Amino acid sequence: KYLPLLHSPGLASGPREASSVRGIRRPGRAARRGAMACEPLILGIVGAGARPRPMPRVVLFDVMDTLVVDPFFTGMHSSVFGCESLQELFAVKDPQTFLDFEHGRITEVECHARYFLDRRPVDGDAVRAHLVSNYKYVEGMKDLCEELKKRGVIMALCSNYPAPWAALLEDTMGLRQFAEWVSVSGRTGHRKPAPQAYTTALTVLGCEPADVVFVDDSHGNCVAARELGIDSIRFESALQLRGELRARFGYPESEAS
């Protein structure tokens, strides 16, 4: 079994330097054999004349708007920031501040202090209350994760998200019942589509690119993963993703519903 990089109690403790990721050792041969023993004992489905694709070992998920609905787009502009529309919010917010927060360069308190161009105050408690109230699975994704777990498919998370909010999300949703957090930008300092976001995940998982299928709602993030040799699926819906994963892992359609 791979070694998880990010345990939820430590997520809120602040950013980890990216160099520390290189100190994680790959699992030993015996551990890798143990992980492989948990894989579904099935063969991949390939079309006639098609070149066989290696059976993946891990599904590496993006989180926001792939597994979990992003609360930023569920009325946060009005309920928290007092703006009539997202367009109004984007016109008055500092475009660099949240990027710095997602990279782990600044704290949550600093993000609130610098969020607006005019430095008007932000109610941090209101921000967290909105997040907690609006975290929910994308339609059909909890059922799909439960199905994959029953089939013995290893799942992991690779997210552009601030470390304190990743901890909040984990405490609220309990995503680790399905998947480990192996790459979070607020910890590593690398956001997708930067190659280091993906290579960090591979290092923690102890995987080669061919071992992983990556799922993200962002086309650009999927393209960047493919450039590293990682098979990628652009997420559209749980129904679409179930079919795509069924083709990769080879389980019958009659059992997927």
Side-chain angles (χ1 to χ4, degrees):
K1 182 98 175 181
Y2 55 85
L3 300 176
L5 171 63
L6 302 174
H7 297 279
S8 63
L11 274 168
S13 62
R16 175 183 295 181
E17 294 298 328
S19 60
S20 68
V21 175
R22 292 193 291 270
I24 298 174
R25 295 192 298 175
R26 291 170 62 91
R29 185 175 301 173
R32 292 198 299 271
R33 283 200 300 267
M36 293 176 68
C38 297
E39 298 170 20
L41 300 178
I42 48 182
L43 297 176
I45 297 174
V46 293
R51 183 176 181 179
R53 176 191 289 127
M55 179 70 71
R57 289 175 50 199
V58 179
V59 179
L60 182 62
F61 282 110
D62 167 54
V63 177
M64 286 294 110
D65 286 336
T66 298
L67 282 180
V68 177
V69 173
D70 190 344
F72 181 78
F73 298 104
T74 58
M76 197 172 188
H77 62 275
S78 59
S79 65
V80 175
F81 299 120
C83 295
E84 293 187 0
S85 65
L86 280 171
Q87 291 78 5
E88 179 184 342
L89 175 60
F90 282 115
V92 296
K93 69 188 287 289
D94 188 322
Q96 186 61 38
T97 296
F98 192 74
L99 285 174
D100 287 342
F101 188 31
E102 276 197 328
H103 278 93
R105 298 169 186 150
I106 61 174
T107 67
E108 187 171 9
V109 171
E110 289 171 322
C111 177
H112 296 155
R114 293 169 38 186
Y115 192 79
F116 286 102
L117 291 169
D118 61 8
R119 301 306 188 243
R120 71 187 73 169
V122 170
D123 185 342
D125 291 337
V127 170
R128 283 181 162 253
H130 179 90
L131 295 175
V132 170
S133 296
N134 289 276
Y135 283 140
K136 62 181 180 180
Y137 283 97
V138 171
E139 183 178 0
M141 287 305 294
K142 185 176 184 181
D143 290 343
L144 179 55
C145 287
E146 288 175 344
E147 177 184 316
L148 293 172
K149 183 178 180 179
K150 289 178 181 177
R151 294 183 181 281
V153 176
I154 297 171
M155 293 171 276
L157 307 176
C158 179
S159 179
N160 293 345
Y161 215 49
W165 290 6
L168 184 67
L169 173 57
E170 178 58 39
D171 290 343
T172 304
M173 301 287 292
L175 297 181
R176 288 186 65 204
Q177 66 182 302
F178 300 120
E180 291 288 355
W181 297 80
V182 296
S183 181
V184 178
S185 63
R187 276 287 194 165
T188 67
H190 301 295
R191 294 178 76 257
K192 298 169 294 184
Q196 297 92 332
Y198 307 94
T199 56
T200 293
L202 294 176
T203 298
V204 177
L205 290 165
C207 288
E208 300 298 328
D211 296 330
V212 175
V213 56
F214 173 65
V215 181
D216 199 307
D217 64 309
S218 164
H219 172 72
N221 291 346
C222 290
V223 169
R226 292 187 194 111
E227 290 175 350
L228 295 172
I230 301 171
D231 182 25
S232 298
I233 301 169
R234 184 176 183 184
F235 176 79
E236 297 174 9
S237 69
L239 179 63
Q240 164 258 347
L241 180 59
R242 177 178 280 107
E244 297 263 13
L245 292 177
R246 186 175 64 241
R248 265 70 167 184
F249 286 93
Y251 51 81
E253 182 174 359
S254 60
E255 298 179 12
S257 57

